[in-house]
Amino acid sequence: LAVASASEDCTVRVWDEASGACLQVLEMPGCAWAVDWLPPLSSEGRPRLVTGTSDSVARIWEQKGASAGVDENVVAAFQAAVEERKAAARKGQEAAEQGFSPQGLKVEDISALKQPGGKDGQVKTVRDTDGKTYAYQWSVISLKWECVGEVVADPGQGQGAGGDMVAPDKMFDGQHYDYVFDVDVQDGVPPLKLPYNRGENPYEAADRFLLAHTLPASYREQVVQFIIQNTGGAGQAAAAAAAAAPSSDFVDPYSRTRDNEVKVGEIRSLLAKIKASYPEERATVALKTLNAYCLNLLKQPAEEKFRRIRKSNAAFQQRVASLEGGEGCKVLELVGFRTDDSGEFYVVNEALFDRKAVEATCSELGR
């Protein structure tokens, strides 16, 4: 018997189940995300292998000689894509060894962080002792360099699959974006940051932006048009906007769309239950408190004080935890809060944090 595995090193491997020996390595054009066995086409045939990779292609593999109808052009195109990925990886490695990322960013030694920054928000990219490259930003408040995140390959291409390195100016709240626009909302006021990813629904990005900065909903269409006009690919953004209401029968296996819809539905039910089950004043205070927790997370997701709630805090106990049905605590858990090991705090669990659920909560409470 054989076992197959998929890996983000852009390979699929076939193993002997008994000995654990690797029988074959299949090079892929991108990260291998899924692999499974398919039944043989006939009683005398052998099982086939199906693979799913980050280039959005599913491929079916048969043992050599099992099929005489293989298109040589398809094979050649596949091999060319694999070689292109390898060449890009070699190029990136050579650039990294010379101290530059593929985008030409100067990568300094970690010792560069011993010198203070020249201004608030100054960014440096450094190579740490683990060999990885990180972006650091100078803070005049803490008077130290704060790590923004690792400089990695464009997630749309996959590690070593030809993707450019993500520049620090395309990072926002510790996340990588294809675009981070400066939006002037008012004269004399610093521009607001509008993050956007290619292929994202512009309406969702606009709603997130308006909610984060407490701007009126009347700006929504303006923001959408701004995104479409400034992404350099209006057709793609416009198509994403037109697809704002996809069929409920289609679910991207990597986006967990349906799970998110269920979670948002649970949150709405809990908020409605609070409104209906408790005296108006008590319900209003509870909902405003939950709204404050979620808004703070949206506006400053990296701020530690907004990522933890002391369970013994008098205001929390009185306004949220005291709800007899536990609805308030259930809402916090649905957006990603969990009790820490000490049992004294609710803290944001990175693996469970759901920004869309937080946005939905704020949207519902803002009505």
Side-chain angles (χ1 to χ4, degrees):
L1 294 178
V3 176
S5 64
S7 171
E8 291 197 359
D9 67 356
C10 303
T11 66
V12 168
R13 298 171 189 261
V14 180
W15 309 81
D16 181 77
E17 185 177 22
S19 66
C22 182
L23 303 176
Q24 188 174 10
V25 179
L26 300 173
E27 297 271 5
M28 298 289 159
C31 294
W33 285 344
V35 63
D36 202 355
W37 293 103
L38 295 178
L41 293 173
S42 66
S43 58
E44 298 179 356
R46 295 188 177 183
R48 298 164 297 156
L49 199 65
V50 59
T51 59
T53 49
S54 60
D55 59 352
S56 304
V57 177
R59 298 177 175 89
I60 296 177
W61 305 76
E62 295 181 336
Q63 288 197 356
K64 190 173 182 179
S67 175
V70 179
D71 189 330
E72 292 183 0
N73 292 326
V74 173
V75 175
F78 171 79
Q79 292 173 340
V82 171
E83 289 305 315
E84 183 180 353
R85 188 262 301 169
K86 289 182 177 180
R90 287 193 297 269
K91 183 179 178 182
Q93 181 62 33
E94 291 170 1
E97 290 173 355
Q98 296 172 11
F100 289 85
S101 76
Q103 278 190 336
L105 294 174
K106 177 64 177 177
V107 180
E108 303 179 64
D109 184 77
I110 189 70
S111 60
L113 300 181
K114 294 180 180 179
Q115 298 297 321
K119 62 178 182 179
D120 188 42
Q122 179 184 350
V123 173
K124 282 190 176 185
T125 51
V126 301
R127 182 164 290 107
D128 209 336
T129 53
D130 60 4
K132 296 180 180 179
T133 301
Y134 296 89
Y136 282 81
Q137 192 171 49
W138 178 254
S139 170
V140 296
I141 297 176
S142 62
L143 294 179
K144 67 178 182 180
W145 291 99
E146 297 181 346
C147 184
V148 179
E150 182 184 355
V151 181
V152 298
D154 184 338
Q157 299 292 333
Q159 187 86 17
D164 289 334
M165 300 294 278
V166 180
D169 62 350
K170 292 185 180 179
M171 298 181 71
F172 181 75
D173 282 344
Q175 298 183 43
H176 302 292
Y177 290 90
D178 295 321
Y179 304 92
V180 177
F181 299 112
D182 286 330
V183 180
D184 291 313
V185 178
Q186 183 178 345
D187 291 338
V189 175
L192 304 177
K193 299 292 184 182
L194 169 57
Y196 177 75
N197 281 320
R198 283 188 291 267
E200 183 181 5
N201 183 348
Y203 283 97
E204 291 184 1
D207 289 341
R208 183 177 64 238
F209 173 74
L210 298 178
L211 188 62
H213 298 289
T214 322
L215 296 173
S218 57
Y219 287 3
R220 188 183 193 221
E221 197 60 39
Q222 286 180 264
V223 175
V224 169
Q225 293 306 314
F226 176 90
I227 292 172
I228 293 175
Q229 293 168 13
N230 287 278
T231 51
Q236 184 183 33
S247 168
S248 60
D249 294 332
F250 174 79
V251 178
D252 181 344
Y254 301 107
S255 68
R256 298 185 300 172
T257 302
R258 184 164 293 163
D259 289 345
N260 181 264
E261 291 176 355
V262 171
K263 187 181 294 183
V264 170
E266 290 181 29
I267 290 173
R268 287 174 176 163
S269 297
L270 288 167
L271 297 178
K273 187 175 180 181
I274 292 174
K275 292 179 182 178
S277 303
Y278 300 94
E280 182 178 358
E281 183 177 353
R282 187 182 180 192
T284 300
V285 170
L287 295 174
K288 283 185 175 180
T289 303
L290 291 171
N291 192 37
Y293 289 145
C294 292
L295 273 178
N296 286 336
L297 268 181
L298 284 182
K299 292 180 178 180
Q300 301 184 61
E303 183 63 50
E304 186 63 28
K305 67 180 179 181
F306 296 142
R307 298 172 64 84
R308 55 196 290 122
I309 303 168
R310 186 181 291 276
K311 298 174 76 171
S312 61
N313 178 275
F316 173 74
Q317 283 291 327
Q318 181 180 358
R319 301 172 186 176
V320 178
S322 64
L323 298 178
E324 288 82 357
E327 297 88 354
C329 293
K330 290 177 183 177
V331 169
L332 292 176
E333 290 175 357
L334 284 170
V335 301
F337 280 93
R338 289 293 186 274
T339 301
D340 69 355
D341 293 338
S342 71
E344 296 181 4
F345 293 90
Y346 268 124
V347 298
V348 173
N349 184 306
E350 286 296 343
L352 300 173
F353 177 65
D354 191 330
R355 188 178 180 89
K356 287 188 178 296
V358 178
E359 291 172 355
T361 303
C362 292
S363 177
E364 189 73 16
L365 291 171
R367 292 183 179 181

